[in-house]
Amino acid sequence: MAAPMGDAGEFESWLNDRLDLLEVDREVYGAYILGILKEEESDEEKEDALQGILSAFLDEDTIEEVCKQIISHWKECCNRLAARQNTDDAEVQAIASMIEKQAQIVVKQKEVSKESKKRKEALLAQYANPPTGIDAPGSDKSLFRNTNVEEVLNRQKQKRDQAREDAQKKKETDKMQREKDKLAKQDRKEKEKKRTQKGERKR
């Protein structure tokens, strides 16, 4: 477990005091011990490395206890820092969450106000300038005219007009055809009459 530099300072001052009590050169060995504590993974590896360093200065009776104290104090510093970071992270997260919620509320209020403003303007425009053919507000009739009925009636009228026109054309065509037929019939009669008269003359 590696402690960030802020807590390393707190631990480093404790370690320097401890090394001074043990009469070990803190300038050389302090940095080395910190490096071991930061880099080694397990407590056993840390303890083995520390014993290798401190064995030149300490008796076998005290070396194990000193190594355990150093490792224990290192863990405490790391745990305090982790707790502080978690608290800081939680506070930052809570603040970020609050800011995000406030931003959403503000955005929603603006959207609602824009939407209601548009509706209001549309209603005012309708009442201020009613289209022609629509009764004034407050009357029994609807504000909006139903154009469906009007369209249906117009289409029916167009169909009737078209049918009347078609019928008139057909009537005229039929009349002309009858006239032609009548003339043709008359021609045939006259030809028949002439032929008959010629036949009688020949007899």
Side-chain angles (χ1 to χ4, degrees):
M1 182 184 295
M5 294 314 288
D7 255 23
E10 180 185 324
F11 175 77
E12 194 173 354
S13 66
W14 175 86
L15 180 62
N16 287 338
D17 292 344
R18 190 77 176 112
L19 291 175
D20 286 344
L21 283 173
L22 298 171
E23 297 178 357
V24 176
D25 186 2
R26 67 170 148 167
E27 297 295 322
V28 176
Y29 293 103
Y32 188 42
I33 290 171
L34 271 175
I36 289 170
L37 293 171
K38 289 178 185 178
E39 291 173 12
E40 297 298 333
E41 295 293 322
S42 69
D43 288 350
E44 289 175 9
E45 290 173 348
K46 289 175 187 172
E47 194 171 336
D48 286 345
L50 288 175
Q51 283 180 0
I53 296 167
L54 298 174
S55 61
F57 309 103
L58 300 173
D59 299 337
E60 286 185 23
D61 299 339
T62 58
I63 193 167
E64 191 174 329
E65 185 185 331
V66 169
C67 290
K68 285 186 179 178
Q69 281 179 352
I70 292 172
I71 292 170
S72 172
H73 200 75
W74 174 254
K75 281 183 172 180
E76 285 175 21
C77 287
C78 290
N79 289 338
R80 277 198 302 270
L81 178 69
R84 254 187 266 144
Q85 281 182 334
N86 287 342
T87 304
D88 291 348
D89 289 348
E91 287 175 6
V92 168
Q93 190 63 34
I95 291 169
S97 177
M98 284 173 43
I99 290 171
E100 189 175 320
K101 285 178 184 175
Q102 285 177 340
Q104 288 174 350
I105 290 169
V106 168
V107 168
K108 282 182 184 175
Q109 285 175 347
K110 284 184 181 177
E111 286 174 2
V112 169
S113 65
K114 283 181 183 178
E115 189 177 317
S116 65
K117 189 176 179 182
K118 284 181 183 177
R119 273 191 260 132
K120 196 180 214 180
E121 287 173 359
L123 282 172
L124 287 173
Q126 284 177 351
Y127 282 104
N129 302 318
T132 56
I134 296 179
D135 295 334
S139 67
D140 291 341
K141 295 185 180 177
S142 173
L143 179 63
F144 300 102
R145 187 172 63 187
N146 187 351
T147 58
N148 290 342
V149 173
E150 202 173 300
E151 287 177 19
V152 169
L153 291 174
N154 282 339
R155 270 191 246 125
Q156 287 177 346
K157 186 178 181 225
Q158 285 175 350
K159 282 182 184 178
R160 279 195 308 268
D161 290 346
Q162 187 66 42
R164 188 181 309 127
E165 200 175 303
D166 291 346
Q168 189 66 31
K169 284 180 183 175
K170 177 82 168 127
K171 192 176 178 183
E172 288 174 13
T173 307
D174 287 350
K175 188 178 179 182
M176 287 172 65
Q177 189 64 42
R178 277 195 306 269
E179 288 291 327
K180 282 182 184 177
D181 289 347
K182 191 177 178 182
L183 287 172
K185 192 176 182 182
Q186 205 170 8
D187 277 348
R188 276 197 309 269
K189 276 185 183 179
E190 285 179 16
K191 284 180 184 177
E192 188 74 33
K193 202 176 189 181
K194 284 180 185 177
R195 221 183 302 140
T196 310
Q197 285 176 355
K198 279 184 185 177
E200 284 179 7
R201 281 186 202 160
K202 286 181 183 178
R203 279 189 207 173

